[in-house]
Structure formats: structure tokens, C-alpha cells
Amino acid sequence: MNTILIPLDYASGTQNALRYVSAAHQNLSFIRLILLKSTYTSVFQPIISTAEYLCLDGDTLEAGRKESVEYLDKVTKELANSVLKEVTIDHAISELPLARALVQLIRQESPDLLILGNSQESKEGYINDNLIELVTISKIPVLVVPSNATYRKIRKVLLPMDFEELNRLEAFLHPLFSTYKDELILHVFSIKKQQRDLMEDRNKLSVLLPDLNFSVDYTDNDDILDGILEFAEKKDVDLIVSLPGKYNFFKKITHRSITHAIAHNSNRPVLILKQT
């Protein structure tokens, strides 16, 4: 993995994502970090909800843009002091809305991983409020880092999946895991509630994942999502992985939004892989 992209806002989730990537740089083995800050201001944003509906003038808007640039510079300097000297830190400033700026930058720079900070608190930051959209539009894997997550070297991974769609498992062969292949413990978790033929499942996975140490698990919990997250806590996993598909496992088993699932994820980062 060479390049990581992190969009910035001022929320606690983003601040923690920066701390997370700073602590993870030796194990993630990236050589380039791109920080993206959008200075876009909606045509509706200058209207202040007062009795007079005052409009912000051009100087005020320019001051806001300047503040964004200064913030980006500050973050760049802080990261430069905390990551390896071999890591190049670039920053991109865009006047486009963040979603469009992300799509454009991903197309231009071809980063390997997008990292988004997720604040547990509601309505706390643009990225948090638009998490579903940003995850959906990304054509590259997305690592969602909760605001209370601390970096731990990846050892135990939880992979919820439908065993009827094992063809999607090849997406799991991601560069993020290559560093830990010999030490990784993979918990493959069936999203089907009923008892399965575990021996048959193990035989199938042995063919598809010949070099990995894995187990096959399932839950009797009537709420599959709760069962998965209880298992994540019990096994103290370092990462939850969602395989690509028309519907990721969060929506498939709950018909609820990915934000809802991640918000219930305590301090477990979630890696959402994409179809290649």
C-alpha cells in the first residue's frame, strides 16, 4: 500500500483518525499521505437564521477559506513531526463540495485507502453527517475510524459474510493484510442465524484462504448485527471487515444504514472493501 487519503473537518472523529494513522504508519507501510480540505460554501450557507436573515459578506467568506487553509497547514506540520521521514505528506485544497472533491482526487491520484473519522456523537462534523454518501461514492477501500478508537496492530479480524457468496472473498486479499498474514487470526462470521455445517464451511475456506489462520463462527442472537458486535467484543477484535457487493453486510442483514451499524461498533474500526 502506497498512498492514504484523509479528508479533513474539525470534528473529533477526524482528529482521532489523524491520531490513528499517525500511530499506524509503521505497520500500514504507506509512503504518501494526502490531506484534503474542501473550502466549499453552499449558496444557502451564508444565510444566518435570524429575524433579519443577514448575509455574510465576501470578506467574511474569504476569512473562512483562509481559516481552512491555515488548519490544513497546521495538521500537515503536526503529522510531519509524528510520522516517518520517508512519508510524503501532501495536501489538496478544493472549492468543490467534499464528495465531488473526493471523487476527483481519487481519480487523479489513485490512493490505495480512504480513511474517514466517525464521531459517535450525532450531528458532529460534516464527514460524520455525510458518512453514508462518502463511503458509497468511494471507489477504493474505506477505513472508518470511530472517535474513541485507538490504534492496535491488526491481529484479530472479524469478517461477517454470506457463505453463499464466497466468490466475493477474494476482495479480502487486500494489501492491508499482507504485512500480518503469518500472525493474523481471521474470524469468518456467518450472517445466517441457523446452525451450519461448519466442517463444510471450513473446507471451502481452506481452499480460498490457504495461508490464513481462520475460524468459522455464527450467532444465535435474533438480531444478527448485535450478535456480530457482541462477538467482536468477546474476541476483542482489532478490525471488522465488510466485503464489497451490491449491499454490504450491514444493510443486507439489517436494512439499516451503515452509519447505524458503525455507530454501534464501539471502538472497532471498520474496513469497507470495494469491488475491483
Side-chain angles (χ1 to χ4, degrees), residues 45-164:
Q45 191 169 329
I47 302 177
I48 301 177
S49 298
T50 66
E52 294 82 12
Y53 288 95
L54 298 177
C55 270
L56 301 178
D57 58 28
D59 290 341
T60 304
L61 294 176
E62 181 58 33
R65 295 187 185 98
K66 182 179 179 181
E67 180 184 12
S68 294
V69 173
E70 291 175 348
Y71 172 62
L72 184 54
D73 289 338
K74 174 177 177 291
V75 171
T76 301
K77 292 176 181 177
E78 290 174 349
L79 284 171
N81 292 327
S82 62
V83 301
L84 291 175
K85 294 181 180 179
E86 293 80 6
V87 176
T88 300
I89 303 175
D90 296 324
H91 54 79
I93 301 172
S94 177
E95 295 183 359
L96 294 174
L98 182 56
R100 289 174 57 190
L102 268 180
V103 170
Q104 184 180 83
L105 195 60
I106 289 172
R107 186 184 302 119
Q108 292 174 347
E109 301 294 337
S110 300
D112 302 288
L113 180 68
L114 171 65
I115 295 183
L116 300 175
N118 177 41
S119 303
Q120 299 293 320
E121 303 82 4
S122 60
K123 299 185 181 301
E124 206 261 335
Y126 179 88
I127 292 174
N128 186 73
D129 292 344
N130 296 275
L131 190 63
I132 297 174
E133 179 185 7
L134 298 178
V135 168
T136 301
I137 64 171
S138 176
K139 300 299 184 183
I140 62 174
V142 183
L143 179 65
V144 179
V145 180
S147 57
N148 60 347
T150 56
Y151 175 73
R152 301 189 307 187
K153 191 172 183 179
I154 299 174
R155 288 288 183 266
K156 292 179 283 187
V157 176
L158 177 57
L159 177 64
M161 65 175 299
D162 187 340
F163 276 78
E164 296 175 1

Side-chain angles (χ1 to χ4, degrees), residues 187-203:
H187 297 283
V188 184
F189 200 99
S190 173
I191 63 174
K192 302 292 188 180
K193 287 195 300 181
Q194 66 268 25
Q195 174 73 53
R196 297 186 53 82
D197 184 340
L198 298 185
M199 182 60 68
E200 180 183 352
D201 291 337
R202 289 192 187 97
N203 291 337

